[in-house]
Amino acid sequence: MDKIKEIVKKTKCLVLDMDGTIYLDSTPIGDMINTLKICREKGIKIYYFTNNSSKNYMEYVKKLSKIGFYDDRDIVYTSAMATISFINSEFKDKKVYVLATDEVKKSFSEGGVNVVEEDADIVLLAYDTTLTFEKLKKANEMLVRGAIYIATHPDMVCPTADISMPDVGSFIRLLEGSSGRVPDYIIGKPNNIAGREIMRATGLNADEITMVGDRLYTDIKFGVNSGFNTILVFSGETTPDMLKQSDVVPTLTFNDLNEIVKYLD
Ligand SMILES: [Mg+2]
């Protein structure tokens, strides 16, 4: 109880996974809309952080607003945005071939990435839900010729209400089969690149930021890798039994994030 209170009290920014953590298939978990409202009133900054790079920032703002979550003090952060920061700091001005939807591709250009269609130095694999054989063929040729290879995130599948959809991790396997290459860099959770970016943007210390999520190997591992406190919630993928078998250990566990309200006074 004291440990929970101490960590919640120290928290100035909550980094929230979305599906399984604040909503399930676009339905808020319990009284989550109000829970986030109370957090904001206590001065806690809200970041929504998703590995899904198939939508750009504005598309997420729209989705969250429609469900009732978004407040204009909140920040949406995607693995695509983390990738833009990474390329701008490590590979400024390199020519990048981007596998992504048109909207996300546009956000890469607008973010300062030198997006090209031919003779690229870098192949960037985002969650391209408009992927075609032509794009795969081109990416494969560039990879075989030795281009630097970056993927936005490692997730194998993207959850839906029914059968999960293939995600970037599955496309990584496909390109490994054809080119013999695996990514040189994978940017989203659990990589700590986004964690450094959130610390820089908020000006907060690592122990003032708390990561909340339902997946041990992406969300919680990301928090641990970034030096943040972590809250594993049992409202999504992970069960208490799965946690017992895990070598990734969260700082705290809640049945769902609404429990945080008890510790905010
Ligand atoms: Mg999740």
Side-chain angles (χ1 to χ4, degrees):
M1 172 79 181
D2 285 349
K3 184 189 174 192
I4 307 179
K5 221 168 180 171
E6 192 190 316
I7 285 162
V8 170
K9 207 173 167 187
K10 246 202 255 173
T11 300
K12 295 194 174 129
C13 174
L14 280 174
V15 181
L16 306 175
D17 169 58
M18 294 192 236
D19 209 356
T21 299
I22 58 168
Y23 56 71
L24 279 168
D25 294 325
S26 304
T27 305
I29 294 170
D31 203 17
M32 196 63 71
I33 292 173
N34 197 37
T35 295
L36 297 194
K37 207 177 273 171
I38 294 168
C39 290
R40 283 184 210 102
E41 281 163 13
K42 298 287 177 189
I44 297 173
K45 181 101 188 150
I46 305 288
Y47 263 73
Y48 306 94
F49 181 21
T50 177
N51 262 0
N52 192 328
S53 57
S54 70
K55 293 186 176 71
N56 71 16
Y57 174 87
M58 271 321 291
E59 290 171 288
Y60 267 109
V61 168
K62 267 186 216 149
K63 179 178 174 164
L64 286 165
S65 301
K66 204 170 153 201
I67 304 173
F69 279 118
Y70 190 74
D71 178 283
D72 53 18
R73 287 166 287 183
D74 299 350
I75 306 278
V76 173
Y77 203 66
T78 70
S79 65
M81 294 161 74
T83 305
I84 292 171
S85 303
F86 176 73
I87 292 175
N88 284 337
S89 74
E90 304 295 320
F91 295 111
K92 190 76 194 145
D93 301 327
K94 291 262 189 227
K95 292 178 282 178
V96 187
Y97 180 61
V98 181
L99 292 163
T101 64
D102 287 346
E103 283 301 309
V104 170
K105 209 164 164 180
K106 205 168 102 199
S107 66
F108 274 93
S109 298
E110 287 168 359
V113 173
N114 183 11
V115 177
V116 298
E117 291 302 318
E118 307 291 339
D119 300 321
D121 307 305
I122 297 175
V123 169
L124 170 58
L125 177 61
Y127 191 11
D128 188 356
T129 51
T130 56
L131 193 61
T132 62
F133 183 77
E134 268 315 301
K135 290 188 192 178
L136 275 173
K137 180 171 171 279
K138 212 183 230 187
N140 179 64
E141 286 165 3
M142 291 172 182
L143 290 176
V144 170
R145 290 197 187 105
I148 297 162
Y149 182 13
I150 302 175
T152 53
H153 60 287
D155 305 50
M156 296 297 284
V157 292
C158 180
T160 72
D162 191 11
I163 295 170
S164 297
M165 300 183 288
D167 202 334
V168 165
S170 300
F171 297 132
I172 289 173
R173 291 271 178 93
L174 188 161
L175 284 167
E176 185 183 359
S178 63
S179 70
R181 297 280 308 273
V182 291
D184 301 305
Y185 305 93
I186 300 181
I187 308 299
K189 296 177 272 189
N191 192 310
N192 70 353
I193 288 168
R196 292 203 302 262
E197 186 62 25
I198 292 168
M199 284 174 66
R200 194 192 58 74
T202 56
L204 295 173
N205 297 323
D207 67 351
E208 296 171 310
I209 301 173
T210 300
M211 173 69 208
V212 188
D214 70 311
R215 268 187 183 175
L216 284 160
Y217 283 88
T218 52
D219 302 324
I220 302 305
K221 199 166 181 192
F222 161 73
V224 172
N225 287 345
S226 300
F228 302 163
N229 285 311
T230 55
I231 301 174
L232 174 70
V233 288
F234 294 122
S235 49
E237 186 178 282
T238 306
T239 61
D241 270 347
M242 286 159 78
L243 173 60
K244 274 185 213 145
Q245 327 242 330
S246 167
D247 53 1
V248 180
V249 182
T251 323
L252 305 175
T253 59
F254 285 169
N255 285 323
D256 66 54
L257 183 59
N258 295 303
E259 273 183 46
I260 200 171
V261 173
K262 286 193 286 191
Y263 304 99
L264 290 164
D265 51 23

